[in-house]
Structures are given as C-alpha cells and as structure tokens.
C-alpha cells in the first residue's frame, strides 16, 4: 500500500511537471494578455468620438495589443504648443460631461474586448498638476534680490525691493502674471569680502515688513550686501495640455504632503465618481510619465524639514545659490561659503533633503492614494531631482523609455531596483521618435534593434509610443498625429496587418522574459556595478535585511551572497549598518571609507567614520568582521564565492552577441541576440549543467532541441547560428535526451542558408543553398563529415501581374515587365503608391520527395512581405533576410504563390505634395521636421469633396515637401525558389 502511494505521488508529480511544461509551450505560442505590448493612446484636444474609440480598441485587440494608457493632450503637439484651429467638437472640453461620457464608453468597450485601460494622472504627458493648482499650491523656488548699503554710523531704515517673478514660457506656459510671493529670510554679508565665512552671515529677520522695511545700525564706511530671499511659483505648467486649459495649469508642489494630497484627490475623486464601476475591471492604472517639470528647491516648512533631517540651519547656506563675482570660471555660478569642501557638502545635503521630500511628501502619497483607489501606480522615475532607484522601487510598474533610433536600452537602475523589490514587470515607453527619424518611414525591421535592446536591458513590457486616437471618418488617413512625435502605430498605418507578426514577436519574447526573476550575482547599494540588483541608500537604511547562512535576505524574498557599496564617500550611518550586517554573517564589499558626503555633524561625522574604518578595514584582501567579512575588492569577493561568468560568447563575437538570463521554477532561459550585420555561428558557454538546451524562436513560435551542444559537468556550451539582428531563447528545463547528439559542427563556408536542424528525438540534419562540406563530432566521440547541395532556381525575369491596394483609395492592376522599385516608375500611381502590392506566380512540381523542404528567397523587399502557397496560412516576413519556408501547402502539380508587399506612407505623402494644398499651413519647423495643419478646412468640417483632387492623404502633421526624396518600395528581388535536397526534383516556374 505504501509503495503504491509512493508510485502514485511520483506519477502525479511527473504528470504535473509535464502539464506545466506543456502549458508553458502553449502560452509561448499564444501569449496571454499580460505578455502583449501596450500602447499610449493619445486623445488630441477635444477630438474624440465614440465611433473612433470602438474602432481603435477593436484594432488593438485584433493586432495583439494588451491595453492602453489614455493621454489628454493639445489638439496639436508642437514646440510652441499651438493648437489646431476649427476643431470639429469644441464643446468636448477636458473633464466636460462629454469627456467623462467618452471615457465611460472607452472603459466599457475595453471591458467587452478584454483590454486594460489606464489614465495619465494629469493633462499633457508631464508631470503632476492641473488647472486646480493655484500659484501658492504649485512648485516653489527661491527668488532673491540684493541691495548694497553703506553705513553712515546711524540707524538706517532700509526698503528692500521684492524679487522679480517670472513664469516659465515653455511648452505649457502659464498665461497669468505671477503674483504669489512669500518672504523666507533677509540676510547680510560684507559686500567687499570675496569669499565670506559662515560667521560673516547675519540673519537680519525672518519676517519682513515691506512697508516699513528694516532698521539697521551700520558703522560708518562699512558696506553690506543685503539679500531678501523669498519663494514663489516656478510657473511651470503640465504640458502639452488640451486647448481649453492652455495657460491655466500649474505643476503641484511636490515636496508638500498637503498639496500632494490635494492634487491626488483632484485627480482620483472624479475618476472614482465617473468610472468607479470599471475599477478594478477594465480601468487598471494611473501613470506618471517622465519628469519634465523642472527644479523645485523650496516649499513651506522646508527649513524645519532640513533641520530635522540634517541637524543644522540651511538659511545661511542659501547664499551659495547666489552668483558670486569671481574670475574663477569653475565656480562662477555659485558663491562659496567657508570653503569649497563645506559648500559641496551642503549642496549634497540640500539635494538629499529635496529627494526625500519628493519621495515622502510627493510620489509616496500619490502611490498610496492610487492604490487605495484600487489602481496600479505606473511611473517613469527619472530626470527629476529625486533618486531613480528609489522611485523604481516605489512604483508598482517601474518604467524607462527608449527612442526609435536607439539601441533600446533603458536606465539600468530601473530593472536593477525592480529586481531587488522582486517586481515581476519592468515597462518601457517604447519607440518615442523624433520627426527626422519617425516620419511615416518607420517599419518593424527598423524597430527590431531597439526592441531587442530593450529586452536585453531588463524590460519585459513595451508600451508603444504611440497609438493616436483617430476620431474621424476612415477616409481621412493617415489622420491624426501627435504633432511630429512618435512612431506611428495604429489602425491607419500601412503595415497594420502584416505588422501583427511584429507584435506577436514582442508578446512571445515578453512572455518568456516575464517568467521568474532576472539572474544576478549580488546586491549593490547606491550605485550599480556589474550584474546585480540595486537598492537606494534610503531604502537600504529602511529595509529589514536579515542574514541566513551567509546569504543576504531582503523582505522581498530576494537573496544574495554579498552586498556591494562601491564608493569611498559614505554616510556614517550607512557604514554602521553595513558593518552590523557583517557582524550577523554577511559579506560586504566596500572600499575603505574616506569621508561623509554631507555637512551633517561635520567634522565629527568624518572622525567617527575613520574610527569605524580603522577597526574594520585592515588593508587585507578579506577582513573578518563578526560572523562575516569585509572585502575591499569586488574581484576578490567574486572569487571567494566561486562565481563564474553567467555566460561567455566564444570566438570573436563577444561584443556582438548579447545575452540576458532569467530563472523560473528550475528553468533557465537566456535571450540571445546577434546585434551584428553579419551571420554569426558561435558557441556560447552557459553556467548550466545537466539539462538539455532547447531553442525557442519567438518569430515563429518554434521549439526544438539544440543541434550542437556539449556538457562538461561544469558548464554547457551551445552552438547557435543567428542571422543579422536575429534573436533566440536558449532554454534549459529538461534532463538531456538520451541520444548521441552533436558536440561540434563546422562548415568550410558559412552561407546564408547553411543550417543545422533537430528532429524531436534530437537527431541532427543539415541543409544549405550551396555546396557545403560539414565536419562534426558526436558526444560518443564519433567524427564524420558530409556534403550538402541544394538545387536552386531563380525566377525568370518575365512580366508580373500586380494588384495595387492603396491604404486609402481604390485598387488597380498593372503588368510589370520586371520587378522594380516603385519609386523609379514613370507611372505616378505606382511611383507614389503606399499600401500593399500583390504579386502572383505559379510553380509546377513534377514530383515530391519524403521530408522535402521548399524555400522562397525574395531578395530585396520594401518593406514587409507576406507569402502564401495555395490555401496554406500566410508567412509574414518583417525584417531581412526575406526568406520563407513554404513547404506547408506545396503539392505535386500546380502551386499558386502569392506575395504581398507592403510599403510605408512616405511616397504617397510625397506624391500629395506635388498637388496644391487645399488647407492652410500652420507652424513650419523646416524640411527635417515638417509643418502643421493650421486649421481643419471647411470642406473637411462639412464632409465635402476635396478641392485638390490629386491629394489622397489627410493628416495633421506633414513631414515631407514636393522635393523630398522618395523611398524604395515594392518587391525588387531577385526572387529565388529552391529545395533543400540532394536528389532530383522536377520544377517548372510560370
């Protein structure tokens, strides 16, 4: 009975494990909603409609988008923030009844479709504020004015002029004249002393009567410079805001808990009131975009907060903000007080207090209130006067950003901080684009480099920038733009249909990259060094860190072999905590401390730090301390812990083959990318043993055992062949297959199509499109070689019947004598074509062999291709090389090959510029950036025929001119059809 129970439990465990593996494979092929890319859904001013909402959301669902964040922006987002005139729905103002009705409808439609929605917390895309914020409630900064007084030996009554107040005139612009001002302090220093000392500063008054002034006894002949310091609104506005609130909004004071609570109540209460039925249903999150609100350096109560946190009065040190008169260019923008060292220390303390107040009185309050409302807090915590690491730890979904023409990496502190907090998702505002780059010429092929770069940097949820809401009739394409910004996704993009495969690629990658945790070697504090997770100093001091068997355990559940603090500047309390952890058994890697970065408790802070350093740091490679160790050199710590390289690219491609690693439930997966422009066939050594390597390809959802690999009991080396810009997941999850697998394979030539394949049993077979001799060695030691030859056929240069389907307009057919670049055609309909062109060929096969494989090489393609054989499913090719396995669907006899090629909007838009404009031009930013639609024309508002019949497209931003260079378009080829076989096949191509 007992034995039967054991058998049952073992069987059940194996069955459960098998089901888990099966579910993993099924979800990889068809990723869940959480793995799909999201979008930023920009609503432009009052231009939103229910019909457009439905069409947008249905298109998102159809294309594999998981959700959207709604932004309420100006009707035209440009540098001057000049709105478009004659908007069709002027009554649909921000937070009007029509606005809330549209949001309710959007949330309802999202619920129907199973999509997630969120809202940016304020108007515009930065940062936290609104029309409800007054000057007194807004971000504050210090302002001052100085007066030089010469003493006459008597008590003098001095009137001090109020400092001037200037509002920011940037993107948001606050139209009203600033009036709020409150005094902070009046101070004086000797006027003729080039570098004053702290003892020279005289605080005259904290309260100032602007009518009576102040009474000062100044000895005859002495000259004093008197400063009147106060605080006022920075005048910074959220931007770019809907038309009806332009010039009426201010950024809220981010260091005041009172004002933060006020702001977030103004944000959340109306949302709960109007959309509460969709929380936590389809309405899931509130976002704060990247920080663009400028600097804030004061708030009511700042002096008291500073004294409480740092132990000394900051008021005399405010004089360091004032520009000094000096020939020293290095210090020309500030005044030194006492010394350079003390001034620098004060500045460190000042920045630290600002950071703490931003986090405690600003963003932490926002997160708390957002969570209490049942919503998730998404945040891009960078570019402001606060700590990115601390902000990333605070956010429910920490986010970075990358641009369309970049390598795709985000700030490394963000995923490292998320790792320490054991947060499963790291987001990224993806493909933000400048007009010189993202101007309706962008394609998935162009975006792949930055996509993979983002994944390598730790991102596992892309939020695409952007999907602009299209409220108008579908005949107006490409339609609404977000000014000149962003990569143009959305239902009006020419490659909307074939581009779905790009979204599938993203989703499959994200599904695997959302599994488990990123694999790191240790924990860093304050600064990230090497392959590690990261804690900010403030969070390190707050965390209840425990030590178990020498492992450092965080409350999040993450554990590490040691902690790294890499700077010689360290707060005494931080050093004390590190030493206390070593007393409990931790290993701490830290150079011998030199001094504290701040002025707090100076000079005792440095003396205390040196006493601690003298007792612990013994100038030895490894210093025992209590139950643990202090090590000054990171390399020594890595060697002590026996940490080897997580992966190593063999041969000469270490700088071109990039890898990232995650681990989940005993499964290790490595995302491997070839960033080079050449094919790479490399061995990669992984810190894994005892498991079968598998290759998971996110492009087509294929899974197969690795063909060539070896396991020496310490590491596993896998040979991986990747095309330019190609990626693959190397997954270790099962015991090795009991087969005599290949451990080495070399070819006399690496060609585009030389490849090694595995069947389900792990047996390898080879193929190539040229004569290739392959030498290989098996695990058993057997050495052998074989030659592979493939029959190849170039499609004859004969006429092609092509059906042209423009993105907007009627289809037409042309017979082309040969494959051409459309932009070189004399036929204007072809020359300026944007859309999908359909080519057809017939291939007759006299016989087919067992396991025969057929391929189609399209050569040069501009820009995406879909290939279909007979009634088989289309194969989408969205980046080069444009080669398709067309075996499925091929049969003896006649085979109809259909090739659909989709290009970008660019040529049609350039073609329109050959025609007269039937609207007025607005702001012109030059040939590299484009120009705006000034106003919606009368014929558009009345739904009349266009006066300029030759214009086919309609947009709110125009990137091109009549002399802009056309872009290559269409199927250029040469097209080749070939089989991978060493035996004779009869072909006929028509």
């Amino acid at each position: 009975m007992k034995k039967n129970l054991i058998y049952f439990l073992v069987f059940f465990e194996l069955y459960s494990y098998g089901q888990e593996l099966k579910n993993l494979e099924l979800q990889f092929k068809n990723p869940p909603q959480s793995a799909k890319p999201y979008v930023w859904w920009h609503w432009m001013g009052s231009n939103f409609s229910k019909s457009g909402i439905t069409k947008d959301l249905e298109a998102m669902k159809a294309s594999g988008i998981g959700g959207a964040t709604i932004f309420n922006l100006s009707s035209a987002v440009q540098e001057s923030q000049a709105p478009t005139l004659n908007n069709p729905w002027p009554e649909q103002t921000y937070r009007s009844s029509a606005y809330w009705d549209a949001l309710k409808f959007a949330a309802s439609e999202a619920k129907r479709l199973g999509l997630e929605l969120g809202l940016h917390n304020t108007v515009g895309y930065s940062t936290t504020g609104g029309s409800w914020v007054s000057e007194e409630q807004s971000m504050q900064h210090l302002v001052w004015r100085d007066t030089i007084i010469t003493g006459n030996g008597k008590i003098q009554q001095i009137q001090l002029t109020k400092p001037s107040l200037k509002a920011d005139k940037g993107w948001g612009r606050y139209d009203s004249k600033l009036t709020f001002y409150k005094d902070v302090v009046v101070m004086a220093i000797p006027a003729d002393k080039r570098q004053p000392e702290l003892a020279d500063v005289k605080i005259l008054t904290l309260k100032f009567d602007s009518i009576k002034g102040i009474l000062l006894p100044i000895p005859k002949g002495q000259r004093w410079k008197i400063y009147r310091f106060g605080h006022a609104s920075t005048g910074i506005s959220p931007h770019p805001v809907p038309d009806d609130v332009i010039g009426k909004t201010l950024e809220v004071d981010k260091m005041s808990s009172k004002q933060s609570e006020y702001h977030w109540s103004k944000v959340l209460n109306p949302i709960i009131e109007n959309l509460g039925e969709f929380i936590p249903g389809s309405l899931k999150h509130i976002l704060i975009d990247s920080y663009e609100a400028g600097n804030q350096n004061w708030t009511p109560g700042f002096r008291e907060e500073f004294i409480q946190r740092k132990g000394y009065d900051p008021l005399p040190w405010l004089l360091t903000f004032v520009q000094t008169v000096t020939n020293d260019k290095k210090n020309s923008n500030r005044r030194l007080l006492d010394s350079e060292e003390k001034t620098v220390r004060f500045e460190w303390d000042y920045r630290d207090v600002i950071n703490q107040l931003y986090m405690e009185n600003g963003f932490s309050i926002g997160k708390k209130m957002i969570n209490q409302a049942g919503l998730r807090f998404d945040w891009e915590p960078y570019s402001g006067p606060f700590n990115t690491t601390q902000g990333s730890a605070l956010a429910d979904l920490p986010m970075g950003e990358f641009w369309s023409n970049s390598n795709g990496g985000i700030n490394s502190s963000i995923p490292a901080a998320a790792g320490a907090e054991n947060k499963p998702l790291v987001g990224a505002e993806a493909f933000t684009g400048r007009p010189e780059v993202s101007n309706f010429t962008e394609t998935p092929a162009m975006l792949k480099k930055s996509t993979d770069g983002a994944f390598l940097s730790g991102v596992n949820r892309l939020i695409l920038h952007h999907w602009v809401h299209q409220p108008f009739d579908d005949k107006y394409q490409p339609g609404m733009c977000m000014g000149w910004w962003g990569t143009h996704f959305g239902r009006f993009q020419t490659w909307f249909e074939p581009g779905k495969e790009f979204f599938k690629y993203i989703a499959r990658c994200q599904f695997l990259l959302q599994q488990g945790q990123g694999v790191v070697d240790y924990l860093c504090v304050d600064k990230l060094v090497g392959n590690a997770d990261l804690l900010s100093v403030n969070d390190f001091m707050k965390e209840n860190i425990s030590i178990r068997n020498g492992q450092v355990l965080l409350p999040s559940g993450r554990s590490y072999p040691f902690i790294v603090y890499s700077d010689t500047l360290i707060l005494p309390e931080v050093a004390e905590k590190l030493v206390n952890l070593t007393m409990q058994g931790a290993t701490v890697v830290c150079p011998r401390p030199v001094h504290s970065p701040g002025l707090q408790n100076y000079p005792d802070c440095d003396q205390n730090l040196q006493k601690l350093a003298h007792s612990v740091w013994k100038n030895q490679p490894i210093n025992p301390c209590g139950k643990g160790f202090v090590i000054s050199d990171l390399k020594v710590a890595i060697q002590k812990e026996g940490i080897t390289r997580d992966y190593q690219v063999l041969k000469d491609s270490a700088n071109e083959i990039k890898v990232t690693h995650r681990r989940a439930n005993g499964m290790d997966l490595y995302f491997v990318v070839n960033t080079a422009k050449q094919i790479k066939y490399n061995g990669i050594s992984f810190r894994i043993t005892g498991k079968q390597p598998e290759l998971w390809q996110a492009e087509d959802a294929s899974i197969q055992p690795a063909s060539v690999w070896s396991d020496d009991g310490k590491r596993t080396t896998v040979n991986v062949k990747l095309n330019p810009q190609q990626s693959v997941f190397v997954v270790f999850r099962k015991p090795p297959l009991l087969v005599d697998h290949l451990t080495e394979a070399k070819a006399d030539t690496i060609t585009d199509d030389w490849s090694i394949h595995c069947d389900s049993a792990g047996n390898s077979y080879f193929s190539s499109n040229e004569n290739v001799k392959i030498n290989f060695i098996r695990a058993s030691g057997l050495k052998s070689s074989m030659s592979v030859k493939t029959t190849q056929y170039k499609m004859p240069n004969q006429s092609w019947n092509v059906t042209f389907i423009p993105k907007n307009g009627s289809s037409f057919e042309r017979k082309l004598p040969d494959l051409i670049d459309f932009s070189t055609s004399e036929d204007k309909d072809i020359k300026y074509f944007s859309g999908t062109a359909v080519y057809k060929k017939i291939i007759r096969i006299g016989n087919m062999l067992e396991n025969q494989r057929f391929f189609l090489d399209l050569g040069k393609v501009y820009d995406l291709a879909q290939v279909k054989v007979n009634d088989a499913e289309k194969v989408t090719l969205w980046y080069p090389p444009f080669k398709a396995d067309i075996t499925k669907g091929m049969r003896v006899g006649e085979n109809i090959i259909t090739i659909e090629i989709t290009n970008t909007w660019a040529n049609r838009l350039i073609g329109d510029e050959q025609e007269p404009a039937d609207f007025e031009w607005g702001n012109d930013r030059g040939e590299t950036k484009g120009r705006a639609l000034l106003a919606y024309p009368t014929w558009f508002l009345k739904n009349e025929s266009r006066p300029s019949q030759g214009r086919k497209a309609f947009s709110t931003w125009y990137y091109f001119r009549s002399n802009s260079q056309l872009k290559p378009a269409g199927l250029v080829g040469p097209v080749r059809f070939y089989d991978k076989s060493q035996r004779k096949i009869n072909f006929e191509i028509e």
Side-chain angles (χ1 to χ4, degrees):
M1 189 77 162
K2 185 176 181 181
K3 185 182 292 185
N4 289 339
L5 178 60
I6 292 174
Y7 285 155
F8 172 77
L9 292 175
V10 170
F11 171 80
F12 181 77
E13 184 175 349
L14 291 173
Y15 175 79
S16 299
Y17 177 68
Q19 287 298 112
E20 184 179 333
L21 295 182
K22 185 177 180 180
N23 289 337
L24 187 75
E25 294 178 10
L26 290 174
Q27 290 186 86
F28 173 65
K29 294 177 184 296
N30 297 288
Q33 198 78 358
S34 58
K36 295 177 180 179
Y38 282 49
V39 298
W40 278 1
W41 194 19
H42 293 128
W43 291 20
M44 308 303 292
S46 63
N47 298 307
F48 48 86
S49 69
K50 289 185 177 180
S51 61
I53 288 170
T54 294
K55 290 177 180 179
D56 278 355
L57 290 175
E58 287 181 344
M60 290 179 201
K61 179 70 174 181
S63 60
I65 298 299
T69 304
I70 297 172
F71 286 74
N72 297 110
L73 308 181
S74 168
S75 59
V77 179
Q78 298 142 37
E79 284 182 290
S80 63
Q81 199 177 333
T84 310
L85 304 178
N86 295 347
N87 290 283
W89 301 288
E91 74 284 357
Q92 296 185 163
T93 55
Y94 178 64
R95 289 195 164 187
S96 64
S97 58
Y99 169 80
W100 289 115
D101 186 49
L103 280 185
K104 284 182 184 178
F105 182 76
S108 176
E109 288 290 84
K111 180 179 179 180
R112 173 177 67 87
L113 295 166
L115 296 173
E116 173 184 321
L117 285 187
L119 290 169
H120 190 252
N121 81 98
T122 188
V123 286
Y125 46 66
S126 184
T127 296
T128 50
S131 56
W132 47 84
V133 177
S134 67
E135 285 185 50
E136 186 175 358
Q137 296 167 317
S138 70
M139 294 175 66
Q140 302 291 299
H141 67 156
L142 289 169
V143 292
W144 59 85
R145 176 162 290 187
D146 62 84
T147 303
I148 294 179
I149 302 297
T150 301
N152 58 11
K154 301 179 181 180
I155 295 177
Q156 297 170 254
Q157 187 172 27
I158 302 170
Q159 297 291 336
L160 298 177
T161 306
K162 185 175 73 173
S164 59
L165 309 180
K166 293 182 179 180
D168 177 83
K169 292 297 182 183
W171 280 70
R173 87 166 189 269
Y174 185 63
D175 279 347
S176 301
K177 184 178 179 180
L178 293 179
T179 58
F180 173 75
Y181 169 84
K182 190 171 184 179
D183 280 304
V184 172
V185 66
V186 177
M187 294 186 289
I189 58 174
D192 300 320
K193 195 164 185 178
R194 198 173 279 271
Q195 182 174 312
E197 297 178 1
L198 188 61
D200 294 326
V201 181
K202 298 185 182 300
I203 296 180
L204 303 178
T205 180
L206 297 177
K207 296 181 179 180
F208 179 68
D209 190 324
S210 60
I211 299 177
K212 295 180 181 180
I214 57 176
L215 300 176
L216 290 179
I218 303 177
K220 186 175 182 179
Q222 285 189 0
R223 281 164 37 92
W224 287 83
K225 181 172 282 190
I226 301 175
Y227 290 92
R228 181 182 181 183
F229 277 87
H231 67 89
S233 172
T234 64
I236 294 286
S237 171
H239 59 271
V241 300
D243 304 5
D244 56 290
V245 291
I246 290 177
K248 303 175 184 177
T249 63
L250 285 171
E251 288 280 351
V252 75
D253 184 339
K254 298 167 195 352
M255 296 197 289
S256 165
S257 58
K258 176 182 177 182
Q259 304 309 338
S260 291
E261 289 173 0
Y262 169 77
H263 166 72
W264 287 106
S265 66
K266 285 291 187 180
V267 170
L268 294 167
N269 289 347
I271 292 174
I272 295 169
E273 179 182 349
N274 288 279
L275 302 170
E277 63 183 291
F278 301 104
I279 303 173
S282 55
L283 189 61
K284 299 284 191 183
H285 68 269
I286 297 293
L287 168 72
I288 301 179
D289 191 1
S290 57
Y291 186 89
E292 297 181 11
N295 291 321
Q296 176 180 356
N297 61 15
W298 199 260
T299 189
F302 183 88
R303 182 194 186 200
E304 293 74 17
E305 289 280 3
F306 190 98
I307 293 172
Q308 177 186 342
R309 295 164 192 267
K310 298 300 179 182
Y312 67 95
D313 193 343
L315 291 187
W317 293 92
L318 299 184
L319 290 170
T320 64
F321 294 169
V322 178
Q323 184 174 356
T324 184
V325 180
T326 176
N327 293 324
D328 184 356
K329 293 182 179 180
K330 178 180 177 182
N331 297 317
S332 61
N333 290 325
R334 71 173 193 224
R335 180 185 296 279
L336 299 182
L337 192 60
D338 266 9
S339 67
E340 168 82 14
E341 180 189 6
K342 288 184 179 180
T343 301
V344 169
R345 284 173 178 258
F346 162 71
E347 290 170 343
W348 190 94
D349 283 342
Y350 200 88
R351 290 192 301 270
D352 186 48
V353 172
I354 289 176
N355 169 67
Q356 292 182 42
L357 294 179
Y358 259 78
M359 298 304 301
E360 295 174 18
N361 292 353
F363 297 121
S364 292
I365 288 174
K367 172 186 164 57
K368 180 181 177 181
M369 295 178 68
I370 289 168
N371 291 163
Q372 286 175 343
L375 296 163
R376 189 182 71 233
F377 175 42
D378 297 2
W379 184 25
E380 296 181 20
Y382 48 87
S383 300
F386 49 85
N387 186 277
T388 294
T389 305
Q390 194 173 356
S392 301
L394 178 68
D396 296 320
L397 176 63
M399 293 174 58
E401 73 172 284
F402 64 92
W403 291 59
S404 58
N405 62 332
S406 71
N407 291 327
I410 67 167
N411 185 320
S412 58
S413 298
I414 298 171
E421 292 297 318
N422 205 7
K423 295 182 183 294
L425 296 179
V426 175
E429 169 194 332
F431 314 118
T432 308
R434 287 190 57 82
E436 301 91 337
V437 178
S438 294
N439 51 17
F440 283 117
T441 58
E442 59 270 44
T443 64
M446 165 192 157
L447 303 174
K448 190 175 191 300
K449 179 181 179 181
S450 56
T451 301
D452 292 340
F455 293 151
L456 288 167
S457 72
V459 173
N460 55 15
R461 173 173 287 178
L462 299 186
I463 299 100
L464 311 183
H465 184 297
H466 51 59
W467 188 298
V468 178
H469 173 47
Q470 302 296 340
F472 308 128
D473 191 289
D474 288 0
K475 64 186 176 182
Y476 301 115
Q477 296 190 31
M480 186 71 77
C481 295
M482 184 195 164
W484 68 40
W485 296 109
T487 295
H488 302 85
F489 299 99
R491 58 192 173 96
F492 287 165
Q493 179 56 270
T494 55
W495 42 264
F496 172 77
E497 282 297 330
K500 293 176 181 178
E501 290 301 313
F502 176 52
F503 293 158
K504 287 181 181 178
Y505 170 78
I506 293 174
R508 292 184 185 121
C509 287
Q510 292 186 164
F511 170 70
L512 290 182
L513 293 171
Q514 289 174 8
Q515 302 301 307
Q517 303 168 328
V519 175
V520 298
D521 293 331
Y522 43 85
L523 174 68
C524 286
V525 174
D526 191 38
K527 293 180 182 178
L528 186 63
V529 181
N531 181 30
D533 283 343
L534 180 64
L535 277 180
S536 68
V537 168
N538 288 331
D539 285 338
F540 171 72
M541 294 304 295
K542 295 173 185 176
E543 292 275 26
N544 183 20
I545 299 173
S546 59
I547 310 300
R548 185 180 304 162
N549 299 324
Q551 291 288 302
V552 178
L553 303 179
L554 297 183
S556 66
R558 292 284 265 170
S559 65
Y560 311 88
F562 55 83
I563 301 175
V564 176
Y565 186 96
S566 60
D567 204 336
T568 57
L569 303 183
I570 184 171
L571 292 170
E573 57 267 30
V574 174
E576 289 170 4
K577 182 165 183 176
L578 288 171
V579 171
N580 286 338
L581 290 173
T582 66
M583 300 297 290
Q584 301 171 46
T587 296
V588 168
V589 179
C590 180
R592 185 185 179 104
V594 174
H595 63 76
S596 173
L599 191 58
Q600 182 181 12
N601 199 30
Y602 178 83
D604 292 348
C605 58
D606 287 0
Q607 295 171 359
N608 295 336
L609 194 60
Q610 288 304 312
K611 288 179 183 178
L612 182 66
H614 181 74
S615 65
V616 174
W617 279 262
K618 303 294 185 181
N619 295 322
Q620 299 174 1
I622 301 177
N623 298 283
C625 184
K627 298 179 181 180
F629 303 92
V630 172
I631 302 175
S632 298
D633 191 331
L634 177 57
K635 292 180 180 179
V636 173
I638 290 173
Q639 185 176 12
K640 174 182 177 294
E641 295 296 331
I643 298 173
T644 59
R645 295 183 65 173
D646 189 16
Y647 67 89
Q648 184 173 2
V649 180
L650 307 182
K651 297 184 180 178
D652 59 350
S653 301
N655 294 327
E656 297 167 316
I657 303 297
K658 306 295 185 181
V659 184
T660 191
H661 179 196
R662 294 187 74 85
R663 180 175 295 140
N665 301 323
M667 173 184 69
D668 286 84
L669 57 90
Y670 292 83
F671 181 59
V672 181
V673 181
N674 175 20
T675 64
K677 296 180 180 179
Q678 304 82 31
I679 295 172
K680 292 292 179 180
Y681 183 69
N682 284 88
I684 306 176
S685 172
F686 299 99
R687 194 170 58 191
I688 298 290
T689 186
K691 291 184 178 179
Q692 164 76 42
E694 300 172 327
L695 303 182
W696 292 44
Q697 180 49 260
E699 291 175 20
D700 58 9
S702 62
I703 299 173
Q704 64 177 16
S707 301
V708 184
W709 62 279
S710 62
D711 184 341
D712 64 5
K714 295 181 180 179
R715 301 179 70 88
T716 300
T717 299
V718 182
N719 283 28
V720 179
K721 176 179 177 288
L722 293 171
N723 288 323
Q725 304 296 321
Q726 191 177 22
S727 69
V728 72
F729 285 89
V730 181
V731 178
F732 298 87
R733 58 177 182 144
K734 300 176 182 178
L737 295 170
L738 299 178
V739 295
D740 187 16
H741 62 271
L742 292 179
T743 62
E744 184 178 323
K746 296 181 180 179
D748 57 3
T749 304
I750 297 181
T751 67
D752 283 358
D753 275 304
W754 175 64
S755 53
I756 307 174
H757 309 273
C758 261
D759 59 24
S760 59
N763 299 312
S764 302
Y765 61 94
F766 305 87
S767 62
S768 173
N769 66 351
E770 295 182 14
N771 295 322
V772 175
K773 183 179 181 181
I774 305 173
N775 303 303
F776 54 87
I777 303 174
R778 294 190 175 272
S780 62
L782 177 66
K783 298 181 181 180
S784 185
S785 65
M786 66 181 297
S787 295
V788 178
K789 181 180 180 181
T790 296
T791 306
Q792 186 172 170
Y793 303 86
K794 182 177 179 181
M795 296 280 193
N797 293 330
Q798 59 188 27
S799 61
W800 294 72
N801 292 319
V802 183
T803 301
F804 291 85
I805 308 172
K807 188 62 178 71
N808 56 344
S810 302
S811 301
F812 59 94
E813 294 184 359
R814 294 289 190 273
K815 189 171 186 177
L816 303 181
D818 198 0
L819 296 176
I820 63 166
D821 171 359
F822 295 161
S823 68
T824 64
S825 176
E826 296 298 322
D827 185 334
K828 289 187 176 181
D829 289 338
I830 298 177
K831 186 183 188 76
Y832 300 124
F833 174 77
S834 291
T836 300
V838 182
Y839 304 72
K840 288 190 177 181
K841 278 290 181 187
I842 295 176
I843 297 177
R844 293 186 177 87
I845 298 180
N847 63 314
M848 291 181 65
L849 304 176
E850 186 179 0
N851 298 322
Q852 183 65 44
R853 299 174 71 222
F854 299 96
F855 289 81
L856 197 63
D857 181 348
L858 301 183
K860 290 185 179 180
V861 169
Y862 302 100
D863 291 291
L864 290 83
Q866 290 186 296
V867 178
K868 183 177 181 180
V869 179
N870 299 322
D871 296 325
E873 187 177 350
K874 289 180 182 178
V875 176
T876 300
L877 306 171
W878 51 271
Y879 80 105
F882 292 93
K883 300 176 182 179
D885 185 334
I886 58 172
T887 304
K888 189 175 182 180
M890 291 291 289
R891 59 196 177 208
V892 174
E894 186 173 279
N895 294 272
I896 301 175
I897 310 294
T898 304
I899 305 170
E900 300 179 7
I901 305 296
T902 302
N903 68 326
T904 68
W905 268 112
N907 289 351
R908 179 62 265 161
L909 296 173
I910 294 170
D912 273 19
E913 295 311 308
Q914 315 306 311
E915 307 293 332
D918 47 13
F919 53 85
E920 292 183 79
W921 294 112
N923 289 325
D924 191 338
R925 300 302 174 188
E927 293 189 5
T928 61
K929 295 182 178 67
R931 48 189 171 172
L933 175 76
L934 175 66
Y936 291 101
T938 301
W939 61 262
F940 174 89
L941 296 172
K942 294 183 177 181
N943 196 25
E944 297 173 344
S945 298
R946 296 194 70 159
S948 185
Q949 292 292 309
R951 283 185 171 261
K952 306 298 182 184
F954 182 83
S955 183
T956 57
W957 189 266
Y958 292 82
Y959 295 97
F960 303 106
R961 314 280 168 130
S962 60
N963 62 347
S964 295
Q965 185 174 353
L966 292 168
K967 311 303 176 184
L971 177 60
V972 178
V975 177
R976 291 182 171 90
F977 172 71
Y978 57 94
D979 79 300
K980 290 190 173 182
S981 169
Q982 298 182 72
R983 295 169 288 179
K984 181 66 176 176
I985 302 292
N986 297 319
F987 292 101
E988 182 181 330
I989 302 173
E990 179 181 298

